[in-house]
Amino acid sequence: MDLLEISRRDLLIQSGRAFAGLALFNSTLLAQVFPSREGEEVIPFLDQPPEPPKPERNLLKWEEFDSWITPNNKFFHIAHYNKPVIDEKNWKLEIAGLVKRPMTFTLNDLKARQRKEVIFTLECSGNHGFPWFVGGIGNARWGGTPLAPVLKEAGLLDKGIEVVFIGSDEGEEEVRGLKMKQNFARSMSREDAMNPKNLLCYEMNGEPLPQLNGFPLRLIAPGWYGIANVKWLQRIEVRDTRYMGRFMAKDYVTIREEQHHGETVWVQTSVGRELIKSVPAKVTRKDGKYRIFGAAWGASIQRVELQIDGGPWIPAKIDRGQEAEFAWKIWTLDWDHVSPGEHTIVSRAIDTRGNIQPAMDDPRIAKKHTYWESNGQVTRRIRLS
Ligand SMILES: Nc1nc2c(c(=O)[nH]1)N[C@H]1C(S)=C(S)[C@@H](COP(=O)(O)O)O[C@H]1N2
Ligand SMILES: [Mo]
C-alpha cells in the first residue's frame, strides 16, 4: 500500500536525522496519513487528460493522489532550457549588483546558516484545467536558509529596487532578429524578495534537492506560482531597473480583457502569486459507499464546497493541512444517495476573507486570453454503475 510505503520512507528519513524531536516526528507522520479507506476502489473520471505529451515532466496523476506530501520521485518537474547537472564542488552562489558587499557562498556556507523549513504546494501557472494540463503541482517540505538575512548582509543599496534570481540553465532567445544566450531568470521587487518566508532551498522532503528540482540550490518563494521558484540558482543580482527577461515580461504573461469606464482594455500582467484553487481529485467506492477526495490551495482556505449535477453547494470536510499556511488542504465528501449513470462534480474553494474561486464563466477567467493563472472551478465527469 502506497500510504504505508510513504510512512516507512519518512520514518527512514526522520530516523536518519539523529536529533529529530519525537513530537515533530509524530506530527509529520500524522500529517501524511491520507483520509483513505482500506481497500477502496478508485472510479476513473470520464474526462481524462490526454497521454502526457512530455512524460519526463512526471506530472501528478490526480486519481493516484494518496499523500499530503508528494514524494520526491512523484514530484513534477518543468525545465524551459537545459537541465544542468551541477557538481557542488564547482558551484557557488554569487550576490552581485547594487550591494555594498558582493558575496559568494558555497553550499556548505549556506548549510551552516540558520535552517528553516516550509511546507509549500508548488503549482505551475500553466496548469489550466481538464482535460489538458493539470498535474503540474506537488506539495513538499522544503528546507534551506532564509534569503532576507543574506541580502541584508550583502547590504542592498538604496537605488536597488529589483532582485533578479538567475539559474545556471541557458537557452537562446531572439528579440528583433537579435539572437542571444540567456540564462533562466525571474525577478522580484526588493520588498517581495525581502519577505522572511523566502528560502534559499537545498533540501526537499529531507533529502538533497533532486537534480531536476534544481540541485544544488533553488529559490522557494511560498505563495508564488512555480515560475518564481528559480532552480539551479547561481546568481542573485540587485538592479535599479525592472528586469524584462522572457519569463518575466514576454512569456508567462497573463493577457486579459478588462472593462475600464465601459471600455474594453487588454491588460498584460506577469504571472505572480498563486490564486485560490481547488480540484476534485478522485472518487472512490467501498462497500457501495462513495467518497470524493480533492485538494485546495493558493490562499488561506476557509472552506471548500461541492456541486453535484448542478445542485446546491455542499460543504466538504477539510481533513489535512490546516496547520500549514502554504500547503494544500485535502478535503473529502462522503457522497450518499448516488444513482447509477453519469454525474458531474464541481468544487470551489473559499478563502478566509470570503473570496470564492471563480467559475469558468466569470470574466476573470472567461476574458483571459492566455492560459496562465487559470484558477477557475474544475468540473469532472464520472459514470457510476
Ligand atoms: N532555472 C529554472 N528554474 C525554474 C524553471 C526553469 O525552467 N529553469 N521552471 C520554472 C517553472 S515554469 C516551474 S512550474 C517550476 C517547477 O518546479 P519543479 O521542476 O521543481 O517542479 O520551476 C520553475 N523554476
Ligand atoms: Mo511553470
Side-chain angles (χ1 to χ4, degrees):
M1 220 185 121
D2 236 338
L3 170 65
L4 285 177
E5 267 165 35
I6 288 155
S7 308
R8 220 178 294 127
R9 198 172 142 273
D10 196 66
L11 200 126
L12 287 174
I13 294 164
Q14 294 285 354
S15 58
R17 196 185 296 146
F19 298 106
L22 201 62
L24 171 75
F25 170 79
N26 282 339
S27 71
T28 314
L29 270 194
L30 212 74
Q32 296 208 8
V33 174
F34 206 76
S36 47
R37 301 170 295 180
E38 190 67 42
E40 63 188 352
E41 142 198 33
V42 176
I43 320 232
F45 285 115
L46 297 172
D47 44 6
Q48 290 298 333
E51 275 305 298
K54 292 182 180 170
E56 75 272 16
R57 286 182 163 179
N58 201 30
L59 300 179
L60 174 77
K61 294 178 190 73
W62 281 107
E63 276 146 341
E64 295 172 12
F65 184 51
D66 64 357
S67 171
W68 183 59
I69 294 282
T70 313
N72 289 1
N73 64 356
K74 288 197 175 173
F75 208 94
F76 79 103
H77 18 77
I78 289 182
H80 292 284
Y81 294 148
N82 58 324
K83 302 167 188 173
V85 179
I86 295 171
D87 180 349
E88 67 169 270
K89 289 197 286 302
N90 307 323
W91 175 90
K92 274 195 177 72
L93 173 70
E94 207 181 345
I95 317 283
L98 299 174
V99 291
K100 292 182 196 123
R101 291 169 290 277
M103 300 174 94
T104 56
F105 293 90
T106 65
L107 194 57
N108 281 335
D109 294 338
L110 293 170
K111 285 182 177 168
R113 298 178 66 91
Q114 182 199 5
R115 185 176 178 287
K116 255 192 166 180
E117 283 190 348
V118 63
I119 301 175
F120 164 47
T121 299
L122 188 79
E123 185 192 17
C124 176
S125 53
N127 234 358
H128 58 284
F130 285 92
W132 181 230
F133 178 51
V134 290
I137 186 165
N139 184 45
R141 186 158 47 86
W142 309 96
T145 194
L147 167 68
V150 170
L151 293 179
K152 270 196 203 124
E153 269 175 53
L156 304 193
L157 295 174
D158 285 347
K159 60 185 176 197
I161 56 162
E162 186 90 336
V163 182
V164 190
F165 300 90
I166 303 167
S168 309
D169 48 336
E170 55 183 50
E172 192 180 74
E173 296 298 340
E174 190 181 325
V175 175
R176 289 224 158 196
L178 192 64
K179 292 197 168 92
M180 61 196 147
K181 187 186 80 100
Q182 288 281 287
N183 286 80
F184 180 94
R186 276 274 306 194
S187 69
M188 279 185 173
S189 70
R190 174 191 188 118
E191 193 190 348
D192 286 335
M194 290 300 288
N195 187 311
K197 308 275 175 171
N198 294 335
L199 290 185
L200 293 171
C201 162
Y202 47 76
E203 235 175 61
M204 183 175 175
N205 294 327
E207 292 169 16
L209 207 51
Q211 185 244 328
L212 292 169
N213 302 101
F215 182 86
L217 192 78
R218 78 180 302 169
L219 178 67
I220 281 293
W224 290 75
Y225 272 117
I227 189 79
N229 297 262
V230 177
K231 304 192 282 188
W232 306 296
L233 196 58
Q234 65 171 13
R235 185 176 162 92
I236 299 176
E237 206 176 287
V238 182
R239 297 193 184 176
D240 61 0
T241 54
R242 295 284 173 226
Y243 173 71
M244 297 292 287
R246 169 174 160 197
F247 298 99
M248 206 60 208
K250 300 176 183 75
D251 204 349
Y252 282 81
V253 169
T254 293
I255 302 176
R256 181 187 273 121
E257 280 178 68
E258 286 179 7
Q259 295 299 312
H260 292 186
H261 307 296
E263 252 180 65
T264 301
V265 177
W266 285 56
V267 177
Q268 302 183 58
T269 51
S270 184
V271 166
R273 289 181 179 81
E274 286 185 343
L275 300 174
I276 187 168
K277 193 165 174 182
S278 71
V279 58
K282 65 177 182 184
V283 175
T284 65
R285 174 168 51 205
K286 166 113 202 261
D287 304 328
K289 291 204 163 77
Y290 293 89
R291 183 175 287 177
I292 307 171
F293 290 80
W297 65 93
S300 147
I301 303 295
Q302 180 205 114
R303 61 182 201 276
V304 176
E305 298 175 338
L306 280 129
Q307 187 183 48
I308 295 168
D309 300 329
W313 289 98
I314 329 166
K317 189 156 87 56
I318 295 183
D319 294 288
R320 292 287 176 272
Q322 295 94 318
E323 72 285 4
E325 183 184 358
F326 296 104
W328 57 22
K329 314 298 175 250
I330 294 174
W331 51 260
T332 57
L333 181 79
D334 286 327
W335 187 12
D336 304 319
H337 315 297
V338 193
S339 55
E342 222 179 287
H343 298 277
T344 60
I345 300 170
V346 190
S347 71
R348 67 177 188 190
I350 295 146
D351 75 12
T352 45
R353 280 177 295 181
N355 298 310
I356 302 175
Q357 179 187 355
M360 289 306 270
D361 60 3
D362 185 293
R364 276 172 292 171
I365 303 296
K367 297 286 184 187
K368 191 163 67 63
H369 292 275
T370 48
Y371 61 75
W372 313 110
E373 302 181 290
S374 291
N375 67 324
Q377 294 165 17
V378 172
T379 301
R380 304 234 49 193
R381 292 187 301 111
I382 197 163
R383 186 178 302 114
L384 306 178
S385 50

